[in-house]
Amino acid sequence: TLKYSDFSIFFLCLVIDKVSNKYVFVTGCDSGFGYVLCKKLERHGFQVLAGCLTQKGADDLQRGTGPNLKTILVDVTDASSVKMAMQWVQKETGGKGLWGLVNNAGRSVPMGPTEWMRTEDFHSTLRVNMMGVIETTLAFLPLIKKARGRIVNVASVLGRLAANGGGYCISKFGVESFSDCLRRDIHYFGIKVSIIEPGFFKTAVTSLEPIEKELHRLWNQLDPEVRDSYGEKYFEKYIKLQRFIMNTFCDPDLSKVTNCMIHALTAKYPRTRYSAGWDAKFAWIPFSYAPAFIVDSMLSAVLPRPAQSCS
């Protein structure tokens, strides 16, 4: 007969050992998922190398942590900054290679109706969320290969189902595609690639203040003819809808996401995709498999109708 200890041994065999000798580099650690993840990884015994955008973010992260967590300022949109971070990590790891790379840095704004956007509005998000992931991954790949490690890319449920205009959904679809191609290309070297697909959580990405600020900017820069076609009521209802979504559906429990990241870094057989959050599991991901006309109808029922709508 099997005892509880037998099950414990079985599950322990499915987890990597000697984590104290393993280094993990995480981007976007000033707040949110990256901040929480670094704290947890340090408690697990990993050697944590955290990339922060600001000095304040780095100072806040290091407060109350031990010598196993070190920080560096890095801007994933700047190739020279990413290269400097890679060289720093290479020195810190001392030739052991990098066990884990977590591409977590991201931004959400501007987001809104596609017609309200200018080309540069798309670029500002794509540079961080998609090109930043690609730039960082390619720079750190030699270190990952040396350790036969893990790459964890943070996408989104909005990388499975596009629900709003702007660069965010496009960038997350790009992360999904890049990660799939990368996984198939480098599995020969013993490298595992996992994708995290969070639902809506309370982080800087879902903060209402910058979202509303950007929506007002987009609205005010529109040509009068375009603005009239939507109408002031449409704009007011759109703002109210964003407030309702962010205040109602954003989960404050960030551990639902960071636990997925930790599993991807510590499991002997990590998953290809992790859907984090109840809304991801029971709404966004299932809806992504629905026929387009059903998804279109559902979203149209929620969104306000423009003043000069034809239907």
Side-chain angles (χ1 to χ4, degrees), residues 16 19 22 24 41-42 44-48 68 99 265-266:
I16 63 168
V19 298
K22 289 180 167 56
V24 178
L41 287 175
E42 192 215 16
H44 272 70
F46 280 96
Q47 302 293 325
V48 184
N68 289 347
W99 172 255
L265 291 167
T266 59

Side-chain angles (χ1 to χ4, degrees), residues 41-60:
L41 287 175
E42 192 215 16
R43 288 197 292 271
H44 272 70
F46 280 96
Q47 302 293 325
V48 184
L49 305 173
C52 297
L53 182 61
T54 66
Q55 187 60 53
K56 181 182 182 303
D59 293 341
D60 290 345

Side-chain angles (χ1 to χ4, degrees), residues 31 38 53 64 85 141 148 164 217 254 269 272 289 298:
S31 63
C38 287
L53 182 61
L141 194 52
R148 300 180 68 182
N164 54 260
R217 180 185 67 81
L254 304 190
Y269 306 102
T272 300
Y289 292 102
M298 292 175 61

Side-chain angles (χ1 to χ4, degrees), residues 147-158:
R148 300 180 68 182
R150 310 287 172 84
I151 297 173
V152 182
N153 291 332
V154 180
S156 168
V157 291
L158 297 182

Side-chain angles (χ1 to χ4, degrees), residues 291-301:
F293 79 91
I294 292 179
V295 178
D296 292 352
S297 299
M298 292 175 61
L299 293 176
S300 295

Side-chain angles (χ1 to χ4, degrees), residues 166-192:
Y168 188 79
C169 293
I170 298 170
S171 68
K172 294 305 182 179
F173 268 84
V175 170
E176 294 270 353
S177 177
F178 172 70
S179 301
D180 283 338
C181 295
L182 180 69
R183 183 183 68 254
R184 291 161 187 153
D185 289 340
I186 65 174
H187 77 276
Y188 305 102
F189 304 105
I191 301 171
K192 305 283 197 304

